[in-house]
Amino acid sequence: MASNSMRTPAMNQVIPNEIWVSLESEDSTTMKAVRASHAPDGRKVDVKPMLRIIDNILLRAAPGIVEFHIILIHADKLSFMHGTYEDKGSLKDHIISRSDVDVKLKTLASIIKKVSSELFSYNNLVLSGTFKANSNVNQTIIPYGATMDCKCSCSGGRDVNATVMMILDTLSSYSWDAKVVLTVAAFIVNYGHEFLLFTSSEANNSALAQSIAFLKQLRDITDHAKFSKAKIDAIIELIKVIMAVTRYIVELHNLPLESIATDETPMSNAKAFIPKAAYWTMLSVVICASYIASLSGHEESTTELLDLARLGSEGSKILVILRSYKTIYKEYEDEKSKPAYWDLVKTVTSTHSDNVTILKTLLLVNDGKQHLVGHTNKRIHIEELREKNVFLLVSGLDLSKEEIDVLGKLYQEAKTKGEIQYEVVWIPVMETIAWDQEKQQKFEELLALMPWYAVPAPSKIKAEVIKYIKTEWKFERKMIFVPLDRQGKFGSLNAIDMYLIHGNKALSSIFSEKEESLWETQKTWTLELLLGGIDNNFSHVLDWTKQGTMVCLYGGDDIEWIREFTKATKDAVKNISSATRLELVYVGKKSAIKEVGNINTSIENENLSRIWSDLTSIWLFWTRLESMLYLKMQQCKNSRNDLIMQELTTLLSYDDSDRGWALFCKGSSEMALAKGDVALKSMEEFSEWRDAADQNGLFPALSSYIKKSQKKQHCSRIILSGDRQEIPSKKLSSDGCECSMEKCFVYRCCAD
């Protein structure tokens, strides 16, 4: 950071008055120069991954700043000046994993390095100049704006505004949001993260931070000495506002303002205001970097504190303006879509003789083209769907390969032998952000995996259609599968769950909204219900049970437990006097599908048991269980009286525990389920129930011992994918526990 020197009172400079004038006027010479420096070349930079990386750094150095600027975006009532906020909200989807940093970000490393050199050059110049007004001071710390002769090799005399303009010139070809995020990234990497690490509340307890600070002679920072604490606090408050303004610039820049007529004054003002907000952000970054670089070894300056406070105040004003523009845009969009939205609702809810009117209402995009596109670039006219049953598949661009594979197999099966023929149309629903080449590429990659058709231009889906899907169909993130029959009547909105459970057998019930009838013949917990209709892997298990073989399905992601359990089970079976055949089959873990592939390899290499090698089938196994539970929760008034719901809840709660589980099956309906520790203990203590096994058989003796060993479960949990808003708060109870589970929300960045 800096070398130690004393600062004289004569050197306590204020920010030049022309800078404050620039921030208050849209037509100042400085702002004209800022706008003139903007020469975008059309390149597209997705700054959101970069912003998440910055968040990731700040989260570890100063969590309060991340919390402030993220929640600020969603708050309804704010007090910017003191860094406080109402609407606590929750942090969600803002922490990234290493896998998110792809090669595209690496291409920005050189430009960040170049901006960093501009910041460093400015602050190095400030720190190594000689102040003319005091001949007794040879090497001292000069604030920005002071007159000096430079004795280093860099170009001399540059003030803070000149530095900002140089950075703007370096970033001239980038969009405004990219300019700001790249500048902030350079600042955080070179100044901010270290400063915040030393000044965070955890620094006093961190031997690492204390040691680094000692070596860099930054004792005044980590000790929070009286003469520097006020400035440290002021810098932290300013960084909070910098990050909040940065995020608003990104949010506002990515709104499709170009879709609004040019005579809409508020929106044209919004586009014109972004350069000013960007200038304030970059100016504040340069000033923050300068003050951080000069923190060590000088007296506190009152004028510096006033400058920092005034900068923060100007930033707060900018935040209010940016937020007002975002609110205006939302109101504009809402008002613009109201008549069209209610026309759409009227059309969709009216009676029709066929489905074409509704399909055109929902699928026609803003360019008016009446075709759909397939994976081979084949196009069909919407009219070709007339008098056909149609599933509307609604999702974002986060559909998994497993989801597409499962639905694709059922679709192809229906095409070849299904009694009810149907078509599928994919409607990709995006948030209100700019559609770029990256999203287009992702859309095309997913479409290439699909054997059906899609809306050809997701970015041009009408706003009222998006609003209807989110409002009436409750779409958020998890895919939905909405059936529309040939007469233009919508079927069950639970179609995806029914479809995954029963396959194409469910089609007649789905299109007639008679989902309860699918359960009338299935009132007991059986192996056919658990496994039926998925693929050949599962039919083998059913064949074994019909031949008298006892089957043990087991799961989890603890490979050590798997080794111990499979060995103990094999040893127990060997020691039974009567001839007994038992097959062990590993079925994975719901929340760790990717890891299951590695576990499968270990099990196969070590010959521990049989496996299901098809990860798509394993995904379907667990997803079907979730779907069964979801439908049962909607239908069941008392979960304690429903055996299927009890077993589903218990199995899913065991899977979400830290270790494994095992389900022993004899025939179709005799099953004994045990949590991992009980299953292992039961097998290791085989000598305790060996006599009973010899007399009565393996399954009765094992089942009895498990029930005796199984303690009441005092704490269970089930993590369901997506937010099932229709699920009541208290509805579930697992086997062996007298308490009901409470519904809560778990936010995480990925499923694995």
Side-chain angles (χ1 to χ4, degrees), residues 536-686:
N536 292 332
N537 286 322
F538 300 89
S539 65
H540 294 327
V541 175
L542 298 174
D543 290 340
W544 291 332
T545 58
K546 292 175 183 176
Q547 296 164 8
T549 300
M550 185 172 153
V551 174
C552 174
L553 305 179
Y554 71 95
D557 59 353
D558 185 339
I559 189 61
E560 290 305 319
W561 176 87
I562 291 172
R563 291 185 178 112
E564 294 174 13
F565 171 70
T566 53
K567 181 181 184 303
T569 302
K570 291 176 182 178
D571 290 343
V573 173
K574 287 178 184 176
N575 289 303
I576 296 177
S577 59
S578 59
T580 303
R581 186 183 172 193
L582 184 141
E583 291 284 358
L584 286 159
V585 183
Y586 176 64
V587 297
K589 184 177 176 69
K590 172 168 63 73
S591 60
I593 297 298
K594 291 180 181 177
E595 286 82 352
V596 166
N598 295 329
I599 296 172
N600 268 346
T601 300
S602 296
I603 293 174
E604 201 166 30
N605 290 342
E606 298 174 35
N607 196 28
L608 301 179
S609 74
R610 294 182 182 270
I611 61 170
W612 286 337
S613 56
D614 182 8
L615 296 184
T616 298
S617 296
I618 293 176
W619 173 87
L620 180 56
F621 170 76
W622 289 108
T623 305
R624 284 180 75 250
L625 293 182
E626 273 196 14
S627 294
M628 287 183 205
L629 182 62
Y630 174 56
L631 290 181
K632 274 291 180 181
M633 277 191 287
Q634 289 185 305
Q635 298 168 6
C636 187
K637 296 180 180 179
N638 188 343
S639 63
R640 296 187 184 278
N641 295 334
D642 191 296
L643 177 62
I644 294 177
M645 192 167 178
Q646 279 280 328
E647 295 293 341
L648 284 168
T649 305
T650 303
L651 178 52
L652 287 169
S653 67
Y654 284 1
D655 177 66
D656 276 322
S657 64
D658 295 331
R659 300 200 70 181
W661 57 270
L663 177 66
F664 298 92
C665 312
K666 182 185 178 185
S668 175
S669 57
E670 291 185 270
M671 291 187 276
L673 177 61
K675 206 169 182 178
D677 54 351
V678 174
L680 178 58
K681 179 184 175 184
S682 298
M683 289 307 179
E684 290 178 336
E685 297 178 352
F686 170 68

Side-chain angles (χ1 to χ4, degrees), residues 116-156:
S116 298
S117 69
E118 298 294 344
L119 285 174
F120 179 79
S121 173
Y122 169 66
N123 288 300
N124 190 50
L125 177 66
V126 166
L127 295 175
S128 60
T130 300
F131 189 54
K132 281 184 176 180
N134 190 341
S135 60
N136 296 323
V137 180
N138 292 323
Q139 273 199 323
T140 188
I141 303 171
I142 308 295
Y144 49 79
T147 304
M148 58 187 174
D149 285 334
C150 181
K151 294 186 177 180
C152 63
S153 59
C154 51
S155 58

Side-chain angles (χ1 to χ4, degrees), residues 153-189:
S153 59
C154 51
S155 58
R158 196 164 79 236
D159 65 12
V160 62
N161 188 64
T163 301
V164 175
M165 294 308 301
M166 184 166 288
I167 294 173
L168 281 168
D169 185 60
T170 298
L171 300 174
S172 62
S173 58
Y174 290 85
S175 59
W176 287 110
D177 63 331
K179 293 182 205 288
V180 171
V181 173
L182 291 169
T183 304
V184 171
F187 165 67
I188 292 298
V189 167

Side-chain angles (χ1 to χ4, degrees), residues 34-65:
V34 168
R35 292 190 176 89
S37 71
H38 186 54
D41 59 5
R43 73 181 71 187
K44 299 290 184 180
V45 178
D46 185 2
V47 299
K48 290 188 176 181
M50 182 73 67
L51 198 54
R52 290 198 296 273
I53 292 173
I54 295 171
D55 286 347
N56 209 27
I57 295 171
L58 290 176
L59 182 79
R60 283 149 180 79
I65 290 179

Side-chain angles (χ1 to χ4, degrees), residues 29 90 245 455 493 593 666 721:
T29 302
S90 60
V245 170
V455 174
L493 290 179
I593 297 298
K666 182 185 178 185
S721 58

